[in-house]
Amino acid sequence: ISSVGQFHRAACHNGLRLSKAFAQECGSGAAARQDVMSQKVQGHGFMERIALNGIEIALRRSPRARRLSLRVSRLDGRVTLTLPLGVSDTLARKFIRGKSDWISRARAEVVQFTQVEIGARLPVQGTARHLVATDEKVARLQGDTIFAPRNQTGRCIRVWLIECARQRAWTLSREFGEVIQRQPEKITIRDTRSRWGSCSETGNIMLSWRLMLAPVEVFDYVVAHEVAHLKEMNHSRDFWSTVGQMIPSYQTPRLWLRENGTELHRYRFD
């Protein structure tokens, strides 16, 4: 599952046809170069950096791209422009300049990070919990309180969340696997930016431990989603039918993740 909602996107919807029209309008591109600067990045081939009003924009040229697509990460404000191989630097500059106001608005919505520390509140399984200091060496949950060590609080809570995620993921994957007669070979817990979960053709499932911060049904849905891929390695009608066998009301947690998933990345456990 991709971490949708973590990026703002703007695209040139008419693709290369519109690109050619822009190229004719831009001419030599001399005016564009007055406020935009491009720079080749060593060792990255087609990767470039363009500066616009003090904002660095990464250019990613892709043979699979059919249109210009601008993306702003809501996690750190990074701006990336993906464009087809045949599109010129002049057109890229033109497109970026035309989206300057949109870029500014999107960057203004970047998530404000919250440090996980004693006294803070942290959602666990969708419920806000109060962090309280303890002399114990490991974190534990009691009611709406998380007791955690005074030193390296964030790291200890992260370790605890990872273990909770691993245990719940294995329990659920076995239960769901019995429903569709499939079982995963391996489950890996990570902290990923672009995906909440994935499933390989060899039956290995990956999940983000940050899903432990979301409501229980959201975590369960993502596990069911990846287990369904053990049977259907696609997102066809049969795939969603398989998900529905495990979680009939999967649309609700799926929508929650789309609308609120970015918030799960706001917490820092440094």
Side-chain angles (χ1 to χ4, degrees), residues 118 131-134 136 138-140 146-150 153 156-157:
I118 298 300
L131 273 59
V132 176
T134 178
E136 300 177 21
V138 296
R140 63 182 175 86
I146 299 176
F147 292 96
R150 292 181 177 84
T153 302
C156 291
I157 292 178

Side-chain angles (χ1 to χ4, degrees), residues 90-107:
T90 299
L91 175 58
R93 297 186 183 100
K94 179 72 174 181
F95 184 71
I96 292 170
R97 288 171 60 223
K99 295 293 183 179
S100 59
D101 290 343
W102 179 87
I103 292 173
S104 297
R105 290 195 302 271
R107 283 172 58 85

Side-chain angles (χ1 to χ4, degrees), residues 1 180 198-200 224-235 239 242 246:
I1 301 177
I180 66 170
S198 63
C199 179
S200 71
H225 184 114
E226 302 310 334
V227 169
H229 279 311
L230 297 173
K231 184 176 182 180
E232 298 285 344
M233 285 297 293
N234 51 59
H235 288 102
F239 167 80
T242 301
M246 295 175 279

Side-chain angles (χ1 to χ4, degrees), residues 67-231:
R67 61 182 182 179
L68 288 88
S69 178
L70 193 61
R71 184 177 68 178
V72 176
S73 171
R74 294 186 62 191
L75 301 182
D76 54 20
R78 294 181 186 176
V79 185
T80 303
L81 176 64
T82 301
L83 60 164
L85 297 179
V87 175
S88 67
D89 287 352
T90 299
L91 175 58
R93 297 186 183 100
K94 179 72 174 181
F95 184 71
I96 292 170
R97 288 171 60 223
K99 295 293 183 179
S100 59
D101 290 343
W102 179 87
I103 292 173
S104 297
R105 290 195 302 271
R107 283 172 58 85
E109 297 181 20
V110 171
V111 172
Q112 299 299 312
F113 290 105
T114 298
Q115 186 65 40
V116 175
E117 57 190 2
I118 298 300
R121 297 185 71 82
L122 176 71
V124 174
Q125 295 189 323
T127 300
R129 320 282 184 170
H130 186 215
L131 273 59
V132 176
T134 178
D135 292 330
E136 300 177 21
K137 295 183 179 180
V138 296
R140 63 182 175 86
L141 176 65
Q142 183 175 327
D144 289 338
T145 301
I146 299 176
F147 292 96
R150 292 181 177 84
N151 298 323
Q152 298 184 323
T153 302
R155 185 189 67 81
C156 291
I157 292 178
R158 182 177 67 243
V159 170
W160 172 66
L161 288 171
I162 291 172
E163 185 56 31
C164 289
R166 179 178 291 108
Q167 292 181 13
R168 185 167 183 80
W170 271 114
T171 298
L172 288 172
S173 65
R174 292 190 183 101
E175 293 177 0
F176 291 151
E178 291 179 0
V179 174
I180 66 170
Q181 298 183 344
R182 298 288 193 282
Q183 292 292 335
E185 291 294 327
K186 180 181 179 181
I187 295 180
T188 303
I189 307 298
R190 296 176 180 170
D191 189 7
T192 54
R193 289 170 55 93
S194 60
R195 290 183 179 274
W196 297 117
S198 63
C199 179
S200 71
E201 294 183 355
T202 57
N204 296 332
I205 288 176
M206 184 282 297
L207 297 168
S208 169
W209 57 262
R210 288 182 182 270
L211 290 167
M212 282 299 300
L213 307 180
V216 175
E217 57 269 22
V218 174
F219 187 102
D220 296 0
Y221 156 67
V222 176
V223 175
H225 184 114
E226 302 310 334
V227 169
H229 279 311
L230 297 173
K231 184 176 182 180

Side-chain angles (χ1 to χ4, degrees), residues 3 12 17 74 90 262:
S3 298
C12 175
R17 197 174 304 173
R74 294 186 62 191
T90 299
T262 301

